[in-house]
Amino acid sequence: MTSGGDAPGMNAAIRAVVRACSYYKVDCVGIYRGYQGMIEGDFTTLTARNVNNIIDKGGTILKTARSTEFRTAEGRKKAYNHLKKEGVDALVLIGGDGTFTGGMIFQKEFDIPCIGIPGTIDNDISGTNYTIGYDTALNTVVEVIDKIRDTASSHNRLFFVEVMGRDAGFLALNSGVGAGAEEILIPEEDMGLERLLESLKRSKRSGKSSSIVVVAEGDKTGKSVFELADYVEENLPEYEVRVSVLGHMQRGGSPSCFDRVLASRLGVKAVELLLDNKKNVMVGLINNRVQTTDLELAIKGNHTINKELLRVSDIMSI
Ligand code: F6P
């Protein structure tokens, strides 16, 4: 099943799990809409041919949801009963931290082996250098900022571009560096509004006529991107400011080759781990090798942003 926010490459992961099952002669059942579908018994049999031509498709053919009912003991009991009825004896969970947290609780209560596959554009999971969907989203964001730069420079404007990531700045930081943003505001680092103003004044003085500031959804300023834009316009009237909120388009689109390959490798390994009687772990890619991490560590571990990138960004925006 896929659960939580969708991410490009989830279909490639589904395909990999289904085909690996087929290869190892294991029956495979797809669960629609994540934990919600599990609670409602919304299942489908999946064979190798059911996943033809989906490797290039964004979204998830199994649909997804953020289930509040699964947070309750009654909801989980219903889900368990449906799994038993269907003869499901192990789960492959494709998603992010919410998905894995649900899996851990479920595994403790009902002893169903769970293997996690990290799929989220946020890249905020430990035990893998990359989550499925992150690379595609990054490229989408860079492509869009490149376009915003065209209009920003034509009008001599300052653009605040809001990028997804409630709790994590991977997408904002890397796309910001990749698109040559003047400043990048992320949840992990409190840059302070004064420093932002100083930096924008410096840019103006250095002869720049337009600028891009990338702001992660959950940045530390305590202001929304629109309030931030107003604040800068009030304090630096020399700037004409515009805001662009990229929103859910960042989660769509055909997955990059990197995400397709990652999803294929992790999907195969997930099935092999279950056949090897492993449970409660996540498969991830560390230094280009598929490795496993306890689900608990994957969620609670420290997948920190690369501070060197902040330094690089500072130097580049001179
Ligand atoms: O976790 C992925 C993500 O896209 C975050 O970056 C974002 O904050 C959140 O999901 C948005 O969730 P929803 O689509 O449920 O509003």
Side-chain angles (χ1 to χ4, degrees), residues 21-298:
C21 281
S22 201
Y23 181 85
Y24 288 114
K25 310 212 175 326
V26 175
D27 289 339
C28 186
V29 172
I31 303 171
Y32 285 113
R33 295 175 293 121
Y35 291 118
Q36 197 53 41
M38 202 189 277
I39 290 169
E40 293 168 23
D42 197 2
F43 301 155
T44 184
T45 302
L46 289 174
T47 65
R49 294 287 72 79
N50 293 136
V51 290
N52 286 352
N53 307 325
I54 65 165
I55 194 167
D56 59 330
K57 300 285 184 293
T60 156
I61 58 159
L62 287 178
K63 316 274 178 178
T64 186
R66 299 189 197 274
S67 171
T68 44
E69 203 181 341
F70 196 75
R71 291 170 193 264
T72 67
E74 301 79 60
R76 292 193 295 274
K77 180 77 180 127
K78 274 192 217 162
Y80 175 74
N81 289 341
H82 278 300
L83 291 180
K84 281 293 106 183
K85 210 164 117 208
E86 193 71 25
V88 174
D89 45 25
L91 292 169
V92 176
L93 312 169
I94 307 171
D97 54 355
T99 306
F100 298 162
T101 306
M104 265 167 42
I105 297 169
F106 199 57
Q107 202 272 328
K108 270 189 202 130
E109 287 176 347
F110 298 105
D111 200 23
I112 291 214
C114 294
I115 303 289
I117 298 182
T120 162
I121 64 163
D122 292 344
N123 205 39
D124 57 345
I125 301 287
S126 289
T128 190
N129 298 136
Y130 304 103
T131 56
I132 296 165
Y134 171 61
D135 180 68
T136 307
L138 206 48
N139 285 297
T140 301
V141 173
V142 167
E143 197 183 321
V144 175
I145 300 180
D146 287 347
K147 291 182 176 165
I148 291 175
R149 191 176 283 289
D150 289 345
T151 172
S153 79
S154 302
H155 284 269
N156 290 346
R157 281 174 174 163
L158 163 63
F159 264 84
F160 282 87
V161 181
E162 188 192 88
V163 166
M164 271 189 167
R166 247 186 321 231
D167 308 306
F170 291 93
L171 205 51
L173 184 54
N174 284 272
S175 64
V177 171
E182 275 62 40
E183 284 299 341
I184 305 166
L185 308 182
I186 53 175
E188 292 86 347
E189 194 81 5
D190 190 358
M191 165 194 213
L193 292 172
E194 276 311 306
R195 239 205 79 194
L196 175 65
L197 291 182
E198 270 318 305
S199 154
L200 291 171
K201 276 187 210 158
R202 238 191 352 264
S203 289
K204 208 38 156 201
R205 278 200 304 271
S206 77
K208 287 190 187 177
S209 55
S210 67
S211 290
I212 306 273
V213 176
V214 172
V215 186
E217 242 181 315
D219 78 288
K220 275 266 183 322
T221 59
K223 289 185 185 296
S224 76
V225 71
F226 292 99
E227 291 166 344
L228 208 53
D230 287 345
Y231 175 82
V232 168
E233 216 162 23
E234 275 160 28
N235 287 280
L236 302 176
E238 63 272 36
Y239 271 112
E240 192 187 355
V241 185
R242 291 290 185 274
V243 173
S244 203
V245 177
L246 302 193
H248 287 79
M249 56 98 73
Q250 294 164 90
R251 290 219 301 244
S254 177
S256 65
C257 180
F258 180 88
D259 277 331
R260 297 179 197 195
V261 175
L262 177 65
S264 303
R265 291 175 75 181
L266 299 188
V268 167
K269 187 66 180 181
V271 174
E272 289 174 344
L273 284 168
L274 283 175
L275 290 172
D276 212 13
N277 292 320
K278 298 281 189 304
K279 57 182 176 183
N280 237 9
V281 293
M282 184 198 79
V283 281
L285 195 72
I286 303 176
N287 298 330
N288 202 23
R289 287 185 46 218
V290 178
Q291 302 197 31
T292 59
T293 304
D294 283 348
L295 276 182
E296 190 157 3
L297 267 180

Side-chain angles (χ1 to χ4, degrees), residues 177 181-184 308-317:
V177 171
E182 275 62 40
E183 284 299 341
I184 305 166
E308 192 227 349
L309 278 181
L310 283 171
R311 203 173 61 79
V312 168
S313 165
D314 272 354
I315 295 173
M316 290 301 99
S317 62

